[in-house]
Amino acid sequence: MFIKLMMFASLTAGVFCSPNSKRLPYGAPPKIEYTEIPHCAKNTTKAWCLEDSEYPQHEVQQALDQHYQAVLAFYKEKLASTENSVNELDKFNDEVYLCPSSTDYVRPLRAINVEGKWRIIVNRIESYGVKYTQTARIEECNVVVGTSCPLVPSCYESKCIQKNVFHRFLVYNPYDYTFPFTIEKFRLPGSCGCVVGAFHL
């Protein structure tokens, strides 16, 4: 009788435990990746959103309140202070660029990280008296990249190029239930440069 019970238990285990089935570790929730393009990015070609009607502000604030001390351990607020960034220049017209560009200081709510995935950036939110603001300086070319630099004489080969810089932002992941915050890298336009080549008569 004992042998029959053992054989039945073995057969039952073999039916419910297929060797090809994928099993998660005990207690680990399934990993869900948010890959959908956000609504704020559907009518723009930029890799960031400054306005977002679907931004989960309430959820982010609740998560910040819950993980207050842990977030402050690795977050440092960076404010844009550019008063003394360039000496002896009083007006924007005093600056001369070889390639025309537009400069702005932005606080994105969503952006594409270096892995090509849209992320929710913690911005414009206050938790326990701490204002979470993350500012980035961006400079975009106002000319088609690859065209000649307007201020360089035509006897030189030249072309305008878009240079990028890397920023580190505190992001919120709504699908990470244990700790929904992390620091990720983002590539944003940093300057519009001019490459000058050979001289031609």
Side-chain angles (χ1 to χ4, degrees):
M1 182 66 181
F2 178 75
I3 295 175
K4 288 183 179 179
L5 286 174
M6 289 296 292
M7 289 176 60
F8 177 76
S10 300
L11 290 173
T12 305
V15 170
F16 291 105
C17 299
S18 172
N20 296 325
S21 63
K22 296 180 180 179
R23 291 179 292 176
L24 294 170
Y26 177 75
K31 184 177 181 181
I32 303 173
E33 190 64 47
Y34 185 77
T35 56
E36 183 182 354
I37 298 175
H39 182 72
C40 67
K42 292 187 177 178
N43 293 325
T44 181
T45 58
K46 298 188 183 298
W48 63 89
C49 291
L50 301 181
E51 300 296 332
D52 183 8
S53 60
E54 299 176 348
Y55 187 77
Q57 184 167 354
H58 182 67
E59 290 82 356
V60 175
Q61 185 173 8
Q62 278 189 327
L64 286 172
D65 292 344
Q66 182 180 356
H67 303 282
Y68 172 73
Q69 293 182 343
V71 172
L72 283 183
F74 65 88
Y75 167 81
K76 183 177 181 182
E77 184 174 8
K78 296 181 179 178
L79 297 177
S81 178
T82 61
E83 295 177 358
N84 299 319
S85 61
V86 180
N87 294 326
E88 301 176 358
L89 291 179
D90 298 326
K91 300 178 182 178
F92 181 75
N93 293 335
D94 294 336
E95 301 181 17
V96 177
Y97 295 90
L98 294 178
C99 293
S101 62
S102 298
T103 303
D104 199 6
Y105 291 86
V106 299
R107 292 177 179 171
L109 297 177
R110 294 184 198 252
I112 300 177
N113 65 8
V114 293
E115 297 177 356
K117 299 174 183 176
W118 281 95
R119 291 292 186 244
I120 300 171
I121 299 177
V122 179
N123 236 331
R124 310 178 200 173
I125 294 181
E126 184 173 348
S127 173
Y128 288 112
V130 177
K131 293 181 180 179
Y132 292 86
T133 56
Q134 301 182 91
T135 307
R137 178 192 181 277
I138 61 171
E139 181 182 332
E140 297 180 278
C141 292
N142 287 345
V143 294
V144 177
V145 174
T147 57
S148 59
C149 307
L151 297 181
V152 175
S154 58
C155 55
Y156 288 95
E157 291 181 358
S158 67
K159 63 179 178 179
C160 295
I161 59 170
Q162 179 68 64
K163 295 183 177 181
N164 298 304
V165 294
F166 291 92
H167 294 268
R168 294 167 61 88
F169 289 134
L170 173 67
V171 301
Y172 168 74
N173 182 2
Y175 299 106
D176 191 335
Y177 304 106
T178 54
F179 186 68
F181 297 102
T182 185
I183 301 288
E184 295 189 14
K185 289 193 297 184
F186 297 81
R187 188 176 68 177
L188 300 177
S191 65
C192 186
C194 175
V195 176
V196 180
F199 173 78
H200 295 288
L201 292 175

